[in-house]
């Protein structure tokens, strides 16, 4: 029996994107997505604690202390996460009855089995949802509009670049199934970029190490991806104060409820205004996505990571992946991100292949809207785990129904065992395509450090 109310929950490490699908009333939910911080925040200004959706009541964002449920990409603080979810499901936000609802929730890539079991326990034992489905954000993207704009049929071979808060993942998909053996992870996300900007600004100008909220806003307002890094760097070096790159970010003044902003030419500063001058920080911070070795990370940049992922896929399908690269995640909103990525991928791709990079109107909520399309699919009710199934089989019910990297790894091992029994010699086995283990999923450092 299909639940009349389905909660779609894109549970990101920085923000939660949530909404409700009602099967009895096919409503347009495009404007009804709720975006709330996934954190418990303590404000030193007004000495108050804000949980998730309560952040909109905060009036002093200086020196906020964040307690994040996610650490290094995995959900580890379940007390904080439960507090955020309690507020989300309450009458103040979604106002649902969990026992009468079904749930679609996203989880991190390569999520650990013991963490997945806690997901199951919270959904069925703590909240008592009627049924639920758990998957990664990229799993639902083929059901959305990113790769099938308008009435066009969806592409069968796609590659999703998901650049989020903790990491950036490159996820190839064939016929709506993730090819886990070719998934790559780049250890650069929005959190690292914000922290790097805090350090640079604190070294050069003001001490901003405690101002995570303010510096994140400055990053989103001022930063862009340079299409010619060395040229922009020379412009800032030759004339630091008078060039078309330098911007002045006026720091917020919460005593008069004024937020931070980019100073416009006609703006006059008051004696109390404090200005953060953004010079080469504007493009050198996002540059870490393409050159992580600039701060000592021994990894290839995003473009080389994408190329390495495609090289692991069947050779006769690689051209389709080059032609269907989709961007999601908050970091892809940087101005110039697509242009820089295209120029680098064009030089890495074989000349006979077309390179096409697709963008969406809202990279931050694309996974949520694709999830809404997924729950409307006629097969969705057959894929969920019901509360009765969980009570009978426990976490095994989820393992049987939810396809993830562990199932892919197990299938690969079984395939290799079967071929070994057929008498394949060592040379033949060496030619088989094997999925690398999780510990070897990083791409090698093929780039050289910029001098």
């Amino acid at each position: 029996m299909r639940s009349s109310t389905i909660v779609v929950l894109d549970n990101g490490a920085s923000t939660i994107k949530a909404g409700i699908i009602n099967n009895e009333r096919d409503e347009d939910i495009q404007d009804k997505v709720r975006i709330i911080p996934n954190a418990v925040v303590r404000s030193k200004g007004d000495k108050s604690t804000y949980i998730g959706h309560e952040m909109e009541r905060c009036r002093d964002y200086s020196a906020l202390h964040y307690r994040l449920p996610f650490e290094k990409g995995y959900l580890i603080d379940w007390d904080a996460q439960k507090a955020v979810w309690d507020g989300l499901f309450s009458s103040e936000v979604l106002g649902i009855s969990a026992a009468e609802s079904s749930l679609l929730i996203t989880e991190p890539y390569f999520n650990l089995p013991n963490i997945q079991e806690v997901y199951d326990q919270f959904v069925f034992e703590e909240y008592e949802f009627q049924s639920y489905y758990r998957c990664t954000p990229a799993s639902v993207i083929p059901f959305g509009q990113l790769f099938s704009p308008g009435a066009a049929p969806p592409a069968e071979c796609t590659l999703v670049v998901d650049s989020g808060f903790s990491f950036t993942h490159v996820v190839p998909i064939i016929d709506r199934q993730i090819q886990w053996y070719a998934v790559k992870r780049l250890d650069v996300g929005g959190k690292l970029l914000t922290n790097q900007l805090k350090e640079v600004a604190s070294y050069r100008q003001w001490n901003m190490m405690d101002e995570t909220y303010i510096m994140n806003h400055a990053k989103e307002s001022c930063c862009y991806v340079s299409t010619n890094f060395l040229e922009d760097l020379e412009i800032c070096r030759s004339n630091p104060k008078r060039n078309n790159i330098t911007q002045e970010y006026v720091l917020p003044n919460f005593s008069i409820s004024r937020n931070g902003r980019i100073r416009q030419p006609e703006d006059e500063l008051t004696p109390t205004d404090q200005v953060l001058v953004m010079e080469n920080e504007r493009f050198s911070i996002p540059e870490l996505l393409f050159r992580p070795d600039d701060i000592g990370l021994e990894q290839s940049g995003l473009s080389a990571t994408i190329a390495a992922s495609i090289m692991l896929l069947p050779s006769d399908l690689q051209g389709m992946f080059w032609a269907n690269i989709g961007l999601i995640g908050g970091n892809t909103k940087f101005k110039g991100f697509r242009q820089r990525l295209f120029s680098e991928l064009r030089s890495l791709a074989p000349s006979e292949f077309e390179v096409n990079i697709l963008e969406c109107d809202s990279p931050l909520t694309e996974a949520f809207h694709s999830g809404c399309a997924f729950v409307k699919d006629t097969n969705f009710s057959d894929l969920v785990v019901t509360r009765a199934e969980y009570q009978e089989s426990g976490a095994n019910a989820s393992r049987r129904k939810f396809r993830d990297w562990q199932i892919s790894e197990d299938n690969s091992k079984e395939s290799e065992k079967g071929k070994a029994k057929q008498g394949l010699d060592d040379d033949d086995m060496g030619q088989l395509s094997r999925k690398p283990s999780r510990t070897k999923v990083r791409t090698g450092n093929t780039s050289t450090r910029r001098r």
Side-chain angles (χ1 to χ4, degrees):
M1 179 173 134
R2 184 163 182 168
S3 172
S4 60
T5 301
I6 303 177
V7 180
V8 179
L9 187 63
D10 182 11
N11 199 58
S14 176
T15 58
I16 294 178
K17 285 71 68 177
I20 300 174
I21 298 294
N22 194 314
N23 291 322
E24 296 177 353
R25 301 190 306 273
D26 189 15
E27 300 173 337
D28 182 12
I29 50 83
Q30 296 296 317
D31 298 326
K32 297 184 179 180
V33 55
R34 294 295 302 268
I35 303 177
I36 67 171
N38 193 3
V40 177
V41 183
R42 173 73 175 175
S43 173
K44 290 184 179 180
D46 55 17
K47 308 299 182 183
S48 299
T49 300
Y50 302 96
I51 301 175
H53 69 285
E54 297 175 351
M55 268 293 288
E56 60 188 20
R57 305 173 190 168
C58 182
R59 293 295 175 263
D60 189 346
Y61 294 97
S62 59
L64 297 180
H65 177 266
Y66 286 82
R67 179 182 174 184
L68 301 174
F70 281 79
E71 183 67 31
K72 295 183 178 179
Y74 295 102
L75 208 173
I76 59 173
D77 190 341
W78 288 95
D79 291 335
Q81 188 64 87
K82 182 181 183 302
V84 176
W85 284 349
D86 286 345
L88 178 66
F89 298 145
S90 69
S91 58
E92 293 185 27
V93 187
L94 295 182
I96 63 162
S97 172
E100 299 174 358
S101 305
S102 183
L103 174 69
L104 167 65
I105 187 171
T106 60
E107 64 174 345
Y109 302 93
F110 298 111
N111 202 8
L112 302 177
N114 58 333
I115 298 180
Q116 291 176 330
E117 291 181 9
V118 183
Y119 273 87
D120 299 343
Q121 293 170 12
F122 263 77
V123 169
F124 289 121
E125 298 178 19
E126 186 68 35
Y127 293 106
E128 298 183 343
F129 274 95
Q130 204 174 81
S131 61
Y132 102 116
Y133 186 82
R134 169 172 40 81
C135 64
T136 60
S139 300
V140 297
I141 294 300
F143 295 88
Q145 296 296 312
L146 180 59
F147 293 108
S148 55
E156 294 183 0
C157 297
T158 59
L159 189 136
V160 176
V161 177
D162 186 355
S163 187
F165 182 69
S166 302
F167 305 117
T168 297
H169 285 89
V170 177
V171 187
I173 301 174
I174 299 178
D175 195 22
R176 296 181 174 177
Q177 299 296 326
I178 293 179
Q179 306 304 299
W180 286 103
Y181 64 92
V183 175
K184 297 291 183 182
R185 188 184 85 181
L186 177 62
D187 294 343
V188 179
K191 181 180 180 180
L192 183 145
L193 299 182
T194 301
N195 289 340
Q196 183 69 14
L197 181 58
K198 287 195 299 183
E199 292 184 10
V200 172
S202 299
Y203 178 77
R204 296 179 177 178
Q205 301 178 64
W206 304 98
N207 182 5
M208 307 298 292
M209 292 305 296
D210 293 332
E211 307 296 347
T212 302
Y213 180 90
I214 296 174
M215 294 311 296
N216 188 68
H217 184 264
K219 178 193 73 175
E220 294 176 351
S221 302
C222 301
C223 290
Y224 71 96
V225 175
S226 173
T227 54
N228 193 325
F229 182 86
L230 295 178
E231 180 179 314
D232 287 353
L233 198 64
E234 178 61 24
I235 291 174
C236 290
R237 187 199 65 79
S238 59
N239 193 353
K241 300 299 181 182
R242 297 181 179 274
N243 57 67
N244 58 359
I245 294 178
T246 300
Q247 284 185 342
E248 292 183 344
Y249 179 81
V250 182
L251 295 175
N253 187 342
F254 296 115
S255 62
I256 57 175
S257 300
R258 189 174 65 190
N259 295 324
R261 70 190 190 280
I262 299 175
R263 183 186 179 187
Q264 303 300 324
E266 65 275 8
D267 287 352
E268 293 187 6
L269 298 179
T270 65
T272 59
D273 284 336
Q274 294 177 313
V275 175
L276 180 68
V277 180
M278 299 284 286
E279 298 178 358
N280 60 25
E281 299 95 337
R282 290 190 63 202
F283 56 87
S284 63
I285 298 301
E287 182 72 11
L288 299 179
L289 287 163
F290 298 88
R291 296 298 298 267
D293 55 340
D294 281 356
I295 56 171
L297 285 178
E298 296 183 356
Q299 286 186 290
S300 301
L302 179 58
S303 304
T305 303
I306 291 174
S309 174
I310 294 178
M311 288 299 294
L312 293 174
L313 298 163
S315 57
D316 56 334
L317 299 179
Q318 291 180 7
M320 298 178 66
F321 287 100
W322 285 110
N324 291 285
I325 300 173
L327 305 179
I328 65 171
N331 296 325
T332 64
K333 295 170 65 177
F334 282 124
K335 182 181 178 181
F337 184 93
R338 180 189 176 278
Q339 291 80 358
R340 169 68 177 276
L341 185 61
F342 176 83
S343 65
E344 293 194 0
L345 289 181
R346 183 61 275 176
S347 63
L348 293 174
S351 58
E352 67 269 20
F353 292 150
E354 175 189 2
V355 176
N356 187 29
I357 301 177
L358 303 172
E359 295 178 296
C360 49
D361 295 334
S362 178
L364 194 65
T365 59
E366 180 62 24
F368 167 80
H369 291 306
S370 298
C372 292
F374 175 48
V375 300
K376 294 178 181 179
D377 190 87
T378 55
N379 296 324
F380 178 74
S381 58
D382 298 327
L383 302 174
V384 299
V385 171
T386 64
R387 187 161 66 239
E389 291 174 333
Y390 177 79
Q391 291 172 344
E392 179 181 348
S393 305
N396 289 328
S398 298
R399 295 192 189 100
R400 286 195 299 266
K401 282 200 170 184
F402 300 157
R403 296 184 58 86
D404 59 16
W405 66 274
Q406 301 169 78
I407 295 177
S408 176
E409 188 174 59
D410 292 342
N411 291 341
S412 177
K413 290 179 179 178
E414 290 297 325
S415 176
E416 290 184 5
K417 288 180 181 179
K419 290 176 181 178
K421 289 180 181 179
Q422 295 176 8
L424 292 176
D425 57 28
D426 291 340
D427 292 336
D428 293 332
M429 288 295 291
Q431 297 175 3
L432 295 175
S433 60
R434 296 186 179 90
K435 170 191 170 299
S437 64
R438 286 185 65 250
T439 57
K440 297 180 181 179
V441 75
R442 288 183 179 180
T443 58
N445 182 16
T446 59
S447 58
T448 58
R449 184 180 295 275
R450 179 184 293 112
R451 300 187 183 277

